[in-house]
Amino acid sequence: QGRHTLRIHSIQEPFVLAELVLEPAREAPTYSEYRQALIPLADHSDADVIRIEAESAGLRSDQTIRPVPDRSDPLTFPYSPTKVRLNIIGQNQWRTSGQWLEWHIDVPVDGDYSLVFRYQQFSLKGMKTSRRLRIDGQVPFREAEKIEFPYSVAYGPLLFGSPDGSPYQIRLTKGIHVLRMEVVMGDLAPIVRETEEDVFLLNEVYRRILMVTGSQ
């Protein structure tokens, strides 16, 4: 409560600012709280599986994140042993915190849907990479803040679910929905933050040494 001043400094290049919105921070509920708030639906076990080709992402945060061809696995669709098929997206182009990809999903019937990813991740050997999931602009529940993809040289499925293996069910109504996956640091965030602070202190000590000894 009270009067505050928000200042934006121009660093380089022109741009146009239409509006600026301040809204209360929204903390996502836990998965248990999320499910308890939903009204039970009729059985929809006969609904079709929705298959989304990752390379068909409608929007992306960077132009450098683009579809590329992959022939390492014939199960990757579309596949051709002789022709160039753009059938995957991501790799080293989609690794910086804050980068995102977005897909539009046409849901045929109201229901609770689980997510299964077919992925490959061998950039961080023996470690996990993380992505934040947003549905229609919102993180549905707290567990979706950090979906971890373990190290895997081969393509394999990842069921988005609890540690005991049960899938998380996401309520989707019939119609078009927007699914966004955003790069996050996950469990690495505190380690990276502490390392950056240590490097800053070491650089400060190094500058003090240079003031006494010189660069030689």
Side-chain angles (χ1 to χ4, degrees):
Q1 182 178 355
R3 190 175 183 85
H4 299 269
T5 300
L6 190 150
R7 183 178 290 112
I8 299 177
H9 294 277
S10 176
I11 299 175
Q12 63 180 17
E13 307 302 334
F15 85 109
V16 175
L17 183 65
E19 66 176 352
L20 192 147
V21 179
L22 296 177
E23 60 182 18
R26 174 185 176 271
E27 184 179 10
T30 63
Y31 177 71
S32 176
E33 295 169 341
Y34 167 78
R35 293 301 305 176
Q36 289 176 3
L38 297 176
I39 300 174
L41 290 177
D43 178 45
H44 65 286
S45 57
D46 58 341
D48 293 335
V49 173
I50 306 172
R51 177 180 175 133
I52 306 166
E53 292 299 329
E55 66 275 7
S56 66
L59 294 176
R60 62 203 73 175
S61 60
D62 296 62
Q63 291 183 348
T64 56
I65 311 176
R66 59 187 185 276
V68 294
D70 183 272
R71 292 177 180 167
S72 63
D73 190 334
L75 294 180
T76 302
F77 182 85
Y79 178 83
S80 173
T82 57
K83 298 179 181 180
V84 175
R85 303 291 193 190
L86 302 180
N87 53 10
I88 64 170
I89 194 168
Q91 293 183 324
N92 289 331
Q93 306 160 356
W94 188 32
R95 62 182 301 173
T96 305
S97 183
Q99 288 183 317
W100 51 265
L101 290 170
E102 205 169 82
W103 297 267
H104 289 76
I105 309 169
D106 188 2
V107 177
V109 61
D110 294 358
D112 297 326
Y113 293 85
S114 58
L115 276 174
V116 180
F117 302 93
R118 185 171 184 270
Y119 81 102
Q120 180 190 58
Q121 192 280 110
F122 54 88
S123 298
L124 298 178
K125 292 185 177 180
M127 302 177 66
K128 299 177 181 179
T129 58
S130 302
R131 297 293 184 270
R132 175 184 292 126
L133 171 69
R134 294 183 187 273
I135 303 291
D136 298 328
Q138 299 290 337
V139 178
F141 43 86
R142 205 168 301 166
E143 288 79 357
E145 290 276 4
K146 182 188 65 176
I147 303 177
E148 295 182 330
F149 293 84
Y151 176 78
S152 176
V153 176
Y155 281 99
L158 174 75
L159 174 64
F160 178 40
S162 60
D164 63 6
S166 57
Y168 291 138
Q169 297 287 320
I170 300 174
R171 175 68 55 86
L172 295 175
T173 55
K174 181 180 179 180
I176 302 297
H177 293 271
V178 179
L179 186 152
R180 174 181 290 193
M181 299 288 288
E182 178 185 346
V183 181
V184 293
M185 295 298 295
D187 292 337
L188 292 177
I191 300 173
V192 172
R193 190 177 302 114
E194 185 176 346
T195 303
E196 289 178 343
E197 293 173 356
D198 291 341
V199 170
F200 178 81
L201 292 175
L202 287 172
N203 286 334
E204 183 179 2
V205 172
Y206 177 64
R207 287 193 297 270
R208 290 181 180 180
I209 293 174
L210 288 180
M211 291 172 61
V212 177
T213 65
S215 58
Q216 303 298 322

